[in-house]
Amino acid sequence: MSLEVIKDLADNGMTIVIVTHEMGFAREISDRVLFMDDGIIAEQGTPEDIFKNAKNPRTIEFLSKVL
């Protein structure tokens, strides 16, 4: 499924659970983001919480490498 199709579904109100490394895409379409590290939820919150105000050192490290 393409990112555009997923975005269209989300824009039309469909609830979607996505596992992705496409962080820009996740930030754009998500209402809630969970960051997992080694199979454990390390941090969760709104896109702003995670992408602008991450607290977990592993989240911060990962995002600094991919954004």
Side-chain angles (χ1 to χ4, degrees), residues 27 47-54 63:
R27 179 174 33 193
E48 183 159 328
D49 292 338
I50 302 302
F51 293 101
K52 293 185 178 178
N53 302 308
L63 291 174

Side-chain angles (χ1 to χ4, degrees), residues 4 7 9 14 21 26-27 32-33 36 39 46 52-53:
E4 189 60 38
K7 183 174 180 347
L9 292 171
M14 181 171 284
H21 286 101
R27 179 174 33 193
R32 189 122 188 105
V33 176
M36 296 188 71
T46 66
K52 293 185 178 178
N53 302 308

Side-chain angles (χ1 to χ4, degrees), residues 16 18 26 29-34 43-47 49-50:
I16 305 169
I18 299 173
I29 70 158
S30 298
D31 295 321
R32 189 122 188 105
V33 176
L34 284 78
E43 190 160 8
Q44 61 181 307
T46 66
D49 292 338
I50 302 302

Side-chain angles (χ1 to χ4, degrees), residues 47-62:
E48 183 159 328
D49 292 338
I50 302 302
F51 293 101
K52 293 185 178 178
N53 302 308
K55 308 262 186 290
N56 184 290
R58 181 65 181 104
T59 308
I60 294 166
E61 176 189 6
F62 177 78

